[in-house]
Amino acid sequence: MKLNRTLNTSPLPSTLEVNKRQKLFKDFARDKYLYLLLLPGLIYLIIFKYFPMYGVIIAFKEFNMFSGIMDSPWVGLEQFERLFRTPDFQKIFINTLVISVLKLVFGFPAPIILALLLNELRHMFFKRFTQSILYLPHFVSWVIFAGIIITFLNPVDGLINHIIQYFGGKPIHFLTSKAHFRSILVITDIYKEMGWGTIIYLAAMTGVNPDLYEASRIDGANKFKQMWHVTLPSIRPVILIMLILNLGNILEAGFFQIYLLYSPLVYDVADIIDTYVYRRGIQEANYSLATAAGLFKSLIALALIVTANKIVKKFGEDGLW
């Protein structure tokens, strides 16, 4: 009886590792200038995003600024228990969730719709001029933008109330009205960021195969059907990735916007986790409780990103990783 032995001709693991390292060095040498361009952004992330994570341990301590972080006593999860027992925390968490969901539901489709409309413009000068006008609000800080909003909504001499009075209505105190404040937050946020959000979608639309549009025209599809059956399916991966990233910011209701526009009269509908952290952490110097609130928000965001990414990949689409 003969035993047939097959020779293993696959490279040894050490050989594979050496080849990978050599390929890595070759790629690095070839693209060294691209890596050099990447360096400032990488340094920024390390200094301002990763180094500050050291301070997260404050959430598990009774922090004393005179003792320092390391010498402050450990209290475990006591700060989180105090946070969840805070009478107003449930209301603050609900406000954060409601405002964020409203901005996501109404704000996420807005740049997609606007990008579809801009993509249909054929006069290049008018298209570029329109894009420049739409991008402009993004570059205006919330401090200036909030001042413009307050001026427009002023109940005495604001433009909006002048229009309301012209048609026989009564002036409305928009920024002190619980019924209107959330709507103002959503509308102004969409107006400010909608134009800037179109950049990614317009870039994705440039990669759509023109033959698909030609085939759809031959089949009798009008512009709307071309957008619905050709453009949107072609940019669907980009839309899903942007949706995942937006879900990660679901509890980012917009600190600067709300802080600059709200007042104690609308705390019941406008007070969010970020403004709560600011009041407790900065104004009252309760750094441990404020850090616990911020860490809680970050953990929720991480869970949402991971869950959304898994759901997208189960449907056969490309996720973030």
Side-chain angles (χ1 to χ4, degrees):
M1 181 177 181
K2 294 182 179 181
L3 296 175
N4 294 326
R5 296 181 179 178
T6 58
L7 296 176
N8 186 7
T9 58
S10 60
L12 295 175
S14 59
T15 307
L16 291 175
E17 292 176 2
V18 171
N19 292 336
K20 287 181 179 179
R21 283 198 295 268
Q22 290 177 348
K23 186 178 183 300
L24 179 63
F25 290 140
K26 288 180 180 179
D27 291 343
F28 183 80
R30 183 191 61 199
D31 301 326
K32 55 182 178 295
Y33 295 112
L34 294 178
Y35 286 109
L36 190 62
L37 289 173
L38 180 66
L39 192 60
L42 187 62
I43 293 173
Y44 169 81
L45 286 175
I46 292 173
I47 294 176
F48 294 103
K49 299 297 182 180
Y50 285 95
F51 281 173
M53 291 177 67
Y54 163 75
V56 167
I57 61 175
I58 295 176
F60 306 96
K61 291 193 168 194
E62 190 64 49
F63 177 69
N64 187 321
M65 67 175 64
F66 298 105
S67 301
I69 295 178
M70 298 309 298
D71 293 332
S72 297
W74 288 92
V75 294
L77 300 177
E78 182 180 323
Q79 300 295 345
F80 293 92
E81 293 176 0
R82 287 173 56 193
L83 176 67
F84 298 142
R85 287 199 303 266
T86 302
D88 294 334
F89 182 75
Q90 182 178 359
K91 177 182 67 179
I92 292 167
F93 181 74
I94 292 174
N95 286 341
T96 307
L97 198 60
V98 169
I99 293 172
S100 299
V101 170
L102 287 174
K103 287 185 176 181
L104 181 65
V105 170
F106 294 102
F108 181 75
I112 301 175
I113 297 171
L114 184 59
L116 290 171
L117 296 176
L118 289 173
N119 191 52
E120 295 301 322
L121 294 177
R122 293 295 173 259
H123 195 287
M124 293 307 299
F125 175 79
F126 179 71
K127 181 178 181 179
R128 291 171 183 171
F129 176 77
T130 305
Q131 286 178 286
S132 300
I133 296 298
L134 292 171
Y135 296 162
L136 187 60
H138 171 79
F139 297 99
V140 179
S141 70
W142 268 114
V143 176
I144 299 173
F145 204 73
I148 296 172
I149 294 169
I150 293 171
T151 302
F152 268 73
L153 299 179
N154 192 303
V156 178
D157 56 359
L159 176 63
I160 303 300
N161 276 300
H162 273 309
I163 296 173
I164 293 174
Q165 291 176 341
Y166 179 80
F167 288 99
K170 294 182 179 180
I172 300 174
H173 294 257
F174 288 101
L175 295 179
T176 57
S177 170
K178 295 179 182 180
H180 296 92
F181 192 79
R182 286 177 177 171
S183 300
I184 293 168
L185 292 178
V186 175
I187 293 170
T188 54
D189 183 73
I190 292 173
Y191 175 74
K192 188 175 186 299
E193 301 297 338
M194 178 174 60
W196 184 252
T198 61
I199 292 177
I200 294 176
Y201 300 112
L202 286 171
M205 290 175 190
T206 60
V208 180
N209 190 349
D211 294 338
L212 297 176
Y213 292 111
E214 185 65 29
S216 64
R217 280 194 293 269
I218 293 173
D219 291 338
N222 56 25
K223 287 294 183 182
F224 177 78
K225 290 184 178 180
Q226 288 176 27
M227 287 190 294
W228 186 259
H229 296 289
V230 177
T231 309
L232 282 176
S234 298
I235 66 171
R236 183 172 57 188
V238 176
I239 294 175
L240 291 175
I241 290 175
M242 295 303 296
L243 179 60
I244 294 173
L245 293 174
N246 276 271
L247 285 174
N249 295 325
I250 192 69
L251 296 183
E252 296 286 345
F255 168 74
F256 289 107
Q257 179 193 21
I258 295 175
Y259 180 74
L260 293 167
L261 293 176
Y262 83 154
S263 64
L265 294 173
V266 291
Y267 272 5
D268 289 341
V269 296
D271 200 17
I272 60 172
I273 294 177
D274 288 340
T275 53
Y276 174 79
V277 168
Y278 174 78
R279 287 201 310 275
R280 299 301 300 270
I282 304 300
Q283 295 181 341
E284 299 178 15
N286 194 339
Y287 301 110
S288 296
L289 187 64
T291 306
L295 182 58
F296 168 74
K297 187 184 76 170
S298 299
L299 292 175
I300 295 293
L302 176 63
L304 287 171
I305 286 180
V306 173
T307 303
N309 190 70
K310 287 184 177 180
I311 292 173
V312 167
K313 293 185 75 173
K314 280 187 177 181
F315 282 95
E317 299 291 343
D318 294 328
L320 291 176
W321 63 86

